[in-house]
């Protein structure tokens, strides 16, 4: 299948937008505090869930329980 150059340009813009979002703390929706030093890592729940089925179940199970309460 041939790729239309306008599709490539749209994809490039999409990925640039995602890359910019990853560098911003104001859109994160989960925070991990790790170790004795209590290092803080902010993340995007959706992206974690996309990469890890285990995290997807854990992160969204918590959200579901909160809605039921």
């Amino acid at each position: 299948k041939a790729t239309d150059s306008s599709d490539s340009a749209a994809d490039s813009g999409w990925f640039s937008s995602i890359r910019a979002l990853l560098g911003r703390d104001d859109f994160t929706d989960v925070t991990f505090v790790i170790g004795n030093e209590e290092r803080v890592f902010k993340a995007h729940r959706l992206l974690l869930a996309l990469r890890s089925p285990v995290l997807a179940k854990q992160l969204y199970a918590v959200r579901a329980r909160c809605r039921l309460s």
Side-chain angles (χ1 to χ4, degrees):
K1 175 181 167 183
T3 303
D4 185 350
S5 62
S6 64
D7 288 342
S8 295
D11 287 347
S12 177
W14 171 256
F15 290 118
S16 294
S17 297
I18 294 295
R19 197 173 299 113
L21 174 72
L22 293 175
R24 296 183 58 175
D25 284 346
D26 53 340
F27 289 111
T28 60
D29 58 358
V30 64
T31 302
F32 296 95
V33 181
I34 309 295
N36 293 333
E37 303 87 28
E38 295 188 1
R39 294 182 58 190
V40 174
F41 295 92
K42 294 184 178 186
H44 302 273
R45 186 184 311 259
L46 174 65
L47 297 178
L48 293 170
L50 286 172
R51 298 298 298 162
S52 170
V54 172
L55 283 176
K57 286 181 182 178
Q58 291 176 340
L59 292 169
Y60 286 98
V62 168
R63 179 174 265 174
R65 283 195 305 264
C66 290
R67 276 186 287 190
L68 293 175
S69 299

